[in-house]
Amino acid sequence: MSAAVATAPSLAPLTIPSNSRPDAISTYPSSPLKVFPPPAPTIRRPLRERCGITLTLHIETPSPTFKPSKVPGPWSPKGHIQPHRNHLPRRRNPKPCFVAVQEKQAPAVAEHPKRAPSPLPSPSPAAEAEPAPAVIPVSDPTPSYAFNPPTEDPRLQAIIPALWVAFAHETDRSYEDGFTHVVEITYEGTHGSSERSWDGKAQRLRLALPQSARKPAKGRAGLALGDTQLRAARDFVAECLPQSIASMPEQSSVRVLVVTPQGRPTDAMCVVGCYLAFVAGQSADAILRCIDEEDSVLSAWKGEVSGDEADRLEKIARSWSWLSTVARR
């Protein structure tokens, strides 16, 4: 009797259908060892290798016996000196700029007690007949500053003890005697020029007015000087008359006179107001109001500067000057 052997039927491989990206399963690796670990990134060769350039560095070291010395003092590694109180400019003990020079008297020569002075030879008769040479008087080059201002002259007016104003006169200039510095406002010269000179008696600053200012004005003659001329007059007066001298009630070393043509007091008062505002550190309007309130000032010099001109003087008085620190001392 034969036995029948049953064989199991072979089954088809199981497949899982997928509606999205069917190629993703087929591309997924069957074994992770084929792609793991991932390949290393490609290292880019440096530029010197790609260009074929080879650089060689040689380092030389000093001999073992060389020892660098340390520089004493506050020096930086680069050799520059660092700021320190011991390296400030040498201004601790300034030497005086001016030294009082005293005339040295010649020492008296003592005569020998045992030797009598030899008698002088008697003059010959011919020498006695000759006349003695005439003595020529030598005039002192220093100008005389005898200052005796007239008290009733309307041309001359004192603003402060060292600063005066006056109306010019073509022929008689005796009012300028005794003044050390004169600011002359005149029609002569180039318009807008300011010329400084020495006339043998006083330092003089000449300010030229335009020719149009010669025409007589119906009312008040306005300011005809330029800003540059006012600035030059301010520095001229402040240089010789700083605050330390101008504040003295009585002094005879420096006297300044501002001369202006007849009928033009505005130009002179503008020069005075600009200088006083610069030295005193006050506004030009306040300075001019104080002058107008003084009883000793004549009415010809009062109220001659308008408000616009006072504002213009204020800007000039506050402008830069090399005398800004000297004038207020």
Side-chain angles (χ1 to χ4, degrees):
M1 183 174 145
S2 60
V5 178
T7 58
S10 59
L11 299 177
L14 179 64
T15 57
I16 301 174
S18 177
N19 298 330
S20 61
R21 298 187 63 183
D23 57 337
I25 298 176
S26 60
T27 57
Y28 190 83
S30 58
S31 175
L33 296 178
K34 294 182 179 181
V35 293
F36 184 85
T42 305
I43 300 176
R44 190 177 184 183
R45 294 187 305 166
L47 179 63
R48 59 184 177 84
E49 294 182 2
R50 286 183 279 134
C51 296
I53 299 175
T54 303
L55 301 177
T56 305
L57 179 63
H58 297 279
I59 300 177
E60 297 181 359
T61 58
S63 60
T65 58
F66 175 76
K67 294 182 179 180
S69 60
K70 183 179 180 181
V71 181
W75 295 83
S76 67
K78 294 185 178 181
H80 303 294
I81 189 170
Q82 298 296 326
H84 194 265
R85 64 179 182 179
N86 296 333
H87 299 278
L88 295 177
R90 298 181 179 179
R91 299 176 183 174
R92 298 181 182 178
N93 299 319
K95 297 181 180 180
C97 299
F98 302 96
V99 181
V101 180
Q102 299 180 358
E103 297 182 357
K104 297 182 179 180
Q105 300 180 358
V109 179
E111 297 181 356
H112 198 277
K114 297 182 180 180
R115 181 181 298 177
S118 59
L120 297 175
S122 58
S124 60
E128 294 180 355
E130 295 180 359
V135 179
I136 300 176
V138 179
S139 59
D140 188 4
T142 305
S144 176
Y145 291 132
F147 188 57
N148 297 316
T151 56
E152 298 180 359
D153 192 348
R155 300 176 302 175
L156 201 61
Q157 174 64 58
I159 305 299
I160 59 176
L163 182 60
W164 295 62
V165 292
F167 287 111
H169 197 275
E170 296 181 359
T171 57
D172 184 15
R173 291 184 173 269
S174 58
Y175 50 83
E176 295 184 1
D177 296 341
F179 287 96
T180 60
H181 297 75
V182 178
V183 179
E184 182 181 2
I185 303 173
T186 178
Y187 297 111
E188 301 176 0
T190 308
H191 165 52
S193 63
S194 43
E195 178 184 358
R196 185 169 181 172
S197 61
W198 164 257
D199 59 1
K201 295 183 179 180
Q203 292 281 350
R204 185 177 297 272
L205 178 66
R206 177 171 295 180
L207 306 177
L209 293 173
Q211 295 298 327
S212 59
R214 287 180 177 270
K215 300 178 181 180
K218 297 181 180 179
R220 182 187 66 89
L223 177 61
L225 294 175
D227 293 353
T228 306
Q229 293 176 315
L230 290 173
R231 192 178 296 107
R234 177 202 65 180
D235 293 344
F236 176 79
V237 182
E239 180 181 359
C240 63
L241 203 63
Q243 185 180 11
S244 57
I245 300 179
S247 59
M248 294 182 180
E250 294 181 2
Q251 61 88 24
S252 59
S253 59
V254 180
R255 289 177 297 274
V256 183
L257 176 64
V258 181
V259 184
T260 186
Q262 293 286 342
R264 301 200 62 86
T266 305
D267 298 295
M269 296 308 298
C270 285
V271 171
V272 172
C274 185
Y275 156 72
L276 292 177
F278 173 68
V279 173
Q282 303 292 331
S283 64
D285 183 69
I287 293 293
L288 295 172
R289 289 182 183 273
C290 292
I291 296 176
D292 294 343
E293 294 175 359
E294 286 291 333
D295 297 336
S296 59
V297 179
L298 298 178
S299 59
W301 305 100
K302 293 182 178 181
E304 295 295 334
V305 182
S306 64
D308 295 340
E309 294 169 347
D311 296 340
R312 180 180 168 190
L313 296 179
E314 181 68 20
K315 295 180 180 179
I316 299 174
R318 298 293 166 261
S319 61
W320 180 88
S321 174
W322 65 278
L323 293 167
S324 298
T325 57
V326 180
R328 296 184 178 89
R329 292 181 179 178

